[in-house]
Amino acid sequence: MYSGSSDGEGHEVAQRRIPPASSMPWVRNLRKFIGSGAGLGSEALMELETKRILLEIFKDKQQKNAEAGTIPSFYRKKPEEGSISSRVQRLAKYRFLKKQSDLLLNADDLDAMWVCLRENCVIDDATGAEKMNYEDFCHIASVCSEQIGPKCRRFFSPSNFMKFEKDESGRIAILPFYLYVMRTVSLTQARIDMSELDEDSDGFLQSSEMESYIRGLIPNLAQLREMPASFIDMYCRIAAQKFFFFCDPHRRGKACIKKVLLSNCLQELMELHQDPEEEVTDTEQAENWFSLTSAQRICDMFLALDKDGNGSISKYELREYADGTLTEIFIERAFDEHVRRGKGGGKTSREMDFDSFLDFVLALENKDAPEGLTYLFKCLDLHGRGFLTTADIHTLFRDVHQKWIEGGNYELCIEDVRDEIWDMVKPADPLRITLADLLGCKQGGTVASMLIDVRGFWAHDNRENLLQEEEEPEEE
């Protein structure tokens, strides 16, 4: 009797009887054949060869990068204004600066620290100075931490104690330490304030940002509180220009925040915190560029020179600067090197604007500073060669000599003055004087004055009498 299985059972049996593909010889041979590329067409072979070449190039570049080290990225595109990336960046910057500001000591904290220092110090029997040894230093740190909080701990590190001069007993004076704390807090606060104004967060301040920073300081500077509101914008412009003169040597229109913090300009500005009721002489106010007296003097000087009232100074008008003691050749060279050429050919195309005038005054009032001497050397370098020859000195001093004789002074020999300048500078190359020679001889400002200003030459010629006049009041 025929007995057959159902269709489902027969299909399952057939599946069980089929061997796996990997065990079939013809399958193994086909895979081997395809893998070798022998059975592929020309297009497929070309694709395989391309992948192989690219893989070799990639591995070669990886090896070279590993040997050369990682190259840092030097350019990153700034996020567009109003984009999500820009908003996130501003928010992160705000939170970071807020956190740093919260870690600073305020005025009450500084007063509390000073009280702790004075209450826990010892008096030096010999000098009467208030001092502390390292044990006192650690004890004061604990007291201050309890009264002020942990944010003062960073000032009481062993490395900070070792920064100060110690006596035979290993003690340091408390006043220098306290001044160090105050200066650190002041500079950190200034860094935070400047960073808040740095719109693109590149570590540099543009002119408008620097003016905004100075404008924010005015209410806190005792000597500027009475400034007329109408003069504030002009004052900020005058004050900011000095920062750029000393902190932006390449005239890129932006000053590095780190350079600003480390410059003497900021320290000079902060001197205006001193109460005007205290003894501040007129001479000290005039010498401080940032004082209200100095700013008004500069403004009045510019207005007096601007005869036609067009907001700029011509070469003819600038000849009246310093009572006309500057030489014409120097004024010509100042315009050639430091006055921007106008786009049009109009009357004001070669006139000195207010910012250029501020640079001019800063250079003449800071001749001994590297920045001022660099400004003046470009004017003295008649041919733009980077050095001065005896012929250049003769040409420059000829105008000084003419003004000297017109003033009724004694006759002098230009060659003798030239030789004296060479003896003062002692250049590395006996045939030429470079800017490095003037900076190195420490008399570059005097030499520059002798070559551009008859009054400067008179001061050098009468230096012994002037020195004697300065010493006589001190003896009395």
Side-chain angles (χ1 to χ4, degrees), residues 80-91:
E80 297 181 1
E81 187 68 24
S83 63
I84 296 179
S85 178
S86 175
R87 294 178 182 179
V88 170
Q89 186 182 58
R90 287 190 177 184
L91 180 60

PDB file of all heavy atoms in Angstrom, residues 80-91:
ATOM      1  N   GLU A  80      28.537  83.693  12.688  1.00  0.00           N
ATOM      2  CA  GLU A  80      27.799  84.844  12.179  1.00  0.00           C
ATOM      3  C   GLU A  80      26.983  85.502  13.296  1.00  0.00           C
ATOM      4  O   GLU A  80      26.505  84.832  14.216  1.00  0.00           O
ATOM      5  CB  GLU A  80      26.881  84.413  11.039  1.00  0.00           C
ATOM      6  CG  GLU A  80      27.634  83.873   9.821  1.00  0.00           C
ATOM      7  CD  GLU A  80      26.679  83.478   8.712  1.00  0.00           C
ATOM      8  OE1 GLU A  80      25.449  83.645   8.903  1.00  0.00           O
ATOM      9  OE2 GLU A  80      27.154  83.000   7.669  1.00  0.00           O
ATOM     10  N   GLU A  81      26.840  86.808  13.188  1.00  0.00           N
ATOM     11  CA  GLU A  81      26.096  87.560  14.190  1.00  0.00           C
ATOM     12  C   GLU A  81      24.632  87.116  14.212  1.00  0.00           C
ATOM     13  O   GLU A  81      23.975  87.028  13.167  1.00  0.00           O
ATOM     14  CB  GLU A  81      26.181  89.057  13.881  1.00  0.00           C
ATOM     15  CG  GLU A  81      25.596  89.944  14.952  1.00  0.00           C
ATOM     16  CD  GLU A  81      26.406  89.908  16.235  1.00  0.00           C
ATOM     17  OE1 GLU A  81      27.610  89.586  16.164  1.00  0.00           O
ATOM     18  OE2 GLU A  81      25.822  90.184  17.303  1.00  0.00           O
ATOM     19  N   GLY A  82      24.131  86.806  15.410  1.00  0.00           N
ATOM     20  CA  GLY A  82      22.752  86.373  15.562  1.00  0.00           C
ATOM     21  C   GLY A  82      22.536  84.890  15.423  1.00  0.00           C
ATOM     22  O   GLY A  82      21.424  84.397  15.669  1.00  0.00           O
ATOM     23  N   SER A  83      23.588  84.142  15.046  1.00  0.00           N
ATOM     24  CA  SER A  83      23.447  82.694  14.907  1.00  0.00           C
ATOM     25  C   SER A  83      23.419  82.035  16.284  1.00  0.00           C
ATOM     26  O   SER A  83      23.775  82.641  17.299  1.00  0.00           O
ATOM     27  CB  SER A  83      24.594  82.126  14.078  1.00  0.00           C
ATOM     28  OG  SER A  83      25.829  82.335  14.738  1.00  0.00           O
ATOM     29  N   ILE A  84      22.998  80.764  16.297  1.00  0.00           N
ATOM     30  CA  ILE A  84      22.947  80.025  17.562  1.00  0.00           C
ATOM     31  C   ILE A  84      24.340  79.896  18.156  1.00  0.00           C
ATOM     32  O   ILE A  84      24.539  80.044  19.369  1.00  0.00           O
ATOM     33  CB  ILE A  84      22.317  78.634  17.338  1.00  0.00           C
ATOM     34  CG1 ILE A  84      20.856  78.787  16.900  1.00  0.00           C
ATOM     35  CG2 ILE A  84      22.409  77.792  18.601  1.00  0.00           C
ATOM     36  CD1 ILE A  84      20.152  77.481  16.621  1.00  0.00           C
ATOM     37  N   SER A  85      25.327  79.642  17.295  1.00  0.00           N
ATOM     38  CA  SER A  85      26.704  79.509  17.771  1.00  0.00           C
ATOM     39  C   SER A  85      27.175  80.796  18.432  1.00  0.00           C
ATOM     40  O   SER A  85      27.834  80.773  19.481  1.00  0.00           O
ATOM     41  CB  SER A  85      27.626  79.151  16.595  1.00  0.00           C
ATOM     42  OG  SER A  85      28.953  79.065  17.016  1.00  0.00           O
ATOM     43  N   SER A  86      26.836  81.941  17.832  1.00  0.00           N
ATOM     44  CA  SER A  86      27.233  83.230  18.407  1.00  0.00           C
ATOM     45  C   SER A  86      26.560  83.464  19.753  1.00  0.00           C
ATOM     46  O   SER A  86      27.199  83.945  20.697  1.00  0.00           O
ATOM     47  CB  SER A  86      26.870  84.349  17.430  1.00  0.00           C
ATOM     48  OG  SER A  86      27.126  85.607  18.004  1.00  0.00           O
ATOM     49  N   ARG A  87      25.289  83.111  19.853  1.00  0.00           N
ATOM     50  CA  ARG A  87      24.575  83.306  21.117  1.00  0.00           C
ATOM     51  C   ARG A  87      25.116  82.408  22.216  1.00  0.00           C
ATOM     52  O   ARG A  87      25.261  82.822  23.370  1.00  0.00           O
ATOM     53  CB  ARG A  87      23.090  83.040  20.906  1.00  0.00           C
ATOM     54  CG  ARG A  87      22.412  84.054  19.982  1.00  0.00           C
ATOM     55  CD  ARG A  87      20.946  83.719  19.767  1.00  0.00           C
ATOM     56  NE  ARG A  87      20.312  84.658  18.851  1.00  0.00           N
ATOM     57  CZ  ARG A  87      19.042  84.583  18.480  1.00  0.00           C
ATOM     58  NH1 ARG A  87      18.268  83.604  18.952  1.00  0.00           N
ATOM     59  NH2 ARG A  87      18.537  85.469  17.635  1.00  0.00           N
ATOM     60  N   VAL A  88      25.431  81.164  21.851  1.00  0.00           N
ATOM     61  CA  VAL A  88      25.997  80.232  22.835  1.00  0.00           C
ATOM     62  C   VAL A  88      27.355  80.730  23.311  1.00  0.00           C
ATOM     63  O   VAL A  88      27.686  80.666  24.507  1.00  0.00           O
ATOM     64  CB  VAL A  88      26.104  78.819  22.234  1.00  0.00           C
ATOM     65  CG1 VAL A  88      26.905  77.910  23.149  1.00  0.00           C
ATOM     66  CG2 VAL A  88      24.719  78.234  21.993  1.00  0.00           C
ATOM     67  N   GLN A  89      28.155  81.256  22.374  1.00  0.00           N
ATOM     68  CA  GLN A  89      29.472  81.771  22.735  1.00  0.00           C
ATOM     69  C   GLN A  89      29.360  82.945  23.703  1.00  0.00           C
ATOM     70  O   GLN A  89      30.108  83.039  24.682  1.00  0.00           O
ATOM     71  CB  GLN A  89      30.214  82.193  21.466  1.00  0.00           C
ATOM     72  CG  GLN A  89      31.659  82.607  21.703  1.00  0.00           C
ATOM     73  CD  GLN A  89      32.346  83.058  20.430  1.00  0.00           C
ATOM     74  OE1 GLN A  89      31.896  83.979  19.765  1.00  0.00           O
ATOM     75  NE2 GLN A  89      33.433  82.408  20.082  1.00  0.00           N
ATOM     76  N   ARG A  90      28.430  83.840  23.434  1.00  0.00           N
ATOM     77  CA  ARG A  90      28.247  84.995  24.326  1.00  0.00           C
ATOM     78  C   ARG A  90      27.765  84.569  25.694  1.00  0.00           C
ATOM     79  O   ARG A  90      28.205  85.111  26.723  1.00  0.00           O
ATOM     80  CB  ARG A  90      27.254  85.974  23.698  1.00  0.00           C
ATOM     81  CG  ARG A  90      27.810  86.753  22.524  1.00  0.00           C
ATOM     82  CD  ARG A  90      26.866  87.865  22.100  1.00  0.00           C
ATOM     83  NE  ARG A  90      27.422  88.663  21.031  1.00  0.00           N
ATOM     84  CZ  ARG A  90      26.834  89.742  20.529  1.00  0.00           C
ATOM     85  NH1 ARG A  90      25.672  90.136  21.014  1.00  0.00           N
ATOM     86  NH2 ARG A  90      27.406  90.423  19.556  1.00  0.00           N
ATOM     87  N   LEU A  91      26.848  83.609  25.728  1.00  0.00           N
ATOM     88  CA  LEU A  91      26.339  83.134  27.007  1.00  0.00           C
ATOM     89  C   LEU A  91      27.441  82.450  27.818  1.00  0.00           C
ATOM     90  O   LEU A  91      27.568  82.677  29.032  1.00  0.00           O
ATOM     91  CB  LEU A  91      25.170  82.173  26.778  1.00  0.00           C
ATOM     92  CG  LEU A  91      24.518  81.580  28.034  1.00  0.00           C
ATOM     93  CD1 LEU A  91      23.964  82.687  28.918  1.00  0.00           C
ATOM     94  CD2 LEU A  91      23.422  80.587  27.664  1.00  0.00           C
TER      95      LEU A  91
END
